[in-house]
Amino acid sequence: MDLPSKIELKYWYISEVVGVDATGVIILVNQEETKQLSITCNQSDCKEIQLLNSEGNEAERRLPSVFAKVLAQFSDAHFYVLIHGIVDGEYKVVLVNSETLDMVPIRAADAIILALASHLRIYIGEELMKQQQVDFDPSSSSMRMPINGISDSMLQQALNKAIAAEDYEMASHIRDEVNRRKHLSK
């Protein structure tokens, strides 16, 4: 994989999604804090990130923090996180060795957790950011994200909710995305 032109992101916050079982959203923002990227995650990822951001020292003994300490103590290697694609609502992410450019695939939520524990920089390919970004408003109480950034299970729950609420226009958009993904996977 060739490395794309990239934009640095920073962690802003994590939120559990109301009305969707065991799902959270990680919000990353650009350095200017004008654009955001939303990454869905599971409930255990939410709890891990909340622990890393808490005042206590419970996170220090958990795997991401311990791994970060071991890596720093026994290696001179420097890494960063690169978000480089999206397929069926799942961001494609690699951990990149800054010196050798060796890459290791990693789940998006795990990459963010590792970045927070290890103080790694987080980047996204410039073109991907243009496709997936939405305007960032730190005072907003609602969250927007592109439909292709929603996992299959979350998409199905949203479809069921839209049908139950008789929001047929929204259900139609969601159904179109579900069908698009089915067609691409054939």
Side-chain angles (χ1 to χ4, degrees), residues 157-178:
Q157 287 182 13
L159 177 60
N160 295 342
K161 190 174 181 179
I163 291 169
E166 296 181 5
D167 186 347
Y168 300 117
E169 184 176 342
M170 178 59 74
S172 174
H173 290 298
I174 296 169
R175 184 206 63 229
D176 290 348
E177 177 65 12
V178 169

Side-chain angles (χ1 to χ4, degrees), residues 35-90:
K35 302 293 180 185
Q36 77 176 41
L37 180 74
S38 304
I39 299 175
T40 59
C41 64
N42 62 39
Q43 191 173 27
S44 63
D45 296 330
C46 281
K47 291 189 185 317
E48 196 68 47
I49 290 172
Q50 289 166 344
L51 275 173
L52 284 167
N53 289 320
S54 68
E55 296 294 321
N57 61 1
E58 185 177 344
E60 290 178 17
R61 297 183 323 220
R62 298 188 59 82
L63 182 60
S65 297
V66 170
F67 180 72
K69 288 175 190 168
V70 168
L71 189 61
Q73 188 174 4
F74 296 106
S75 173
D76 292 331
H78 298 281
F79 296 92
Y80 64 88
V81 170
L82 176 62
I83 305 166
H84 63 88
I86 186 167
V87 176
D88 293 341
E90 182 180 328

Side-chain angles (χ1 to χ4, degrees), residues 3 27 39 44 47 88 92 95 98 109 130 135 145 170:
L3 293 175
I27 302 298
I39 299 175
S44 63
K47 291 189 185 317
D88 293 341
K92 299 300 176 189
L95 191 59
S98 300
K130 286 178 186 175
D135 291 336
M145 61 190 299
M170 178 59 74

Side-chain angles (χ1 to χ4, degrees), residues 26 45 48-49 52 62-72 79-81 93-96 104-122:
I26 302 166
D45 296 330
E48 196 68 47
I49 290 172
L52 284 167
R62 298 188 59 82
L63 182 60
S65 297
V66 170
F67 180 72
K69 288 175 190 168
V70 168
L71 189 61
F79 296 92
Y80 64 88
V81 170
V93 183
V94 290
L95 191 59
V96 181
V104 178
I106 185 171
R107 274 186 345 119
D110 289 335
I112 302 308
I113 291 167
L114 185 59
L116 292 172
S118 304
H119 307 287
L120 303 180
R121 292 178 183 251
I122 303 168

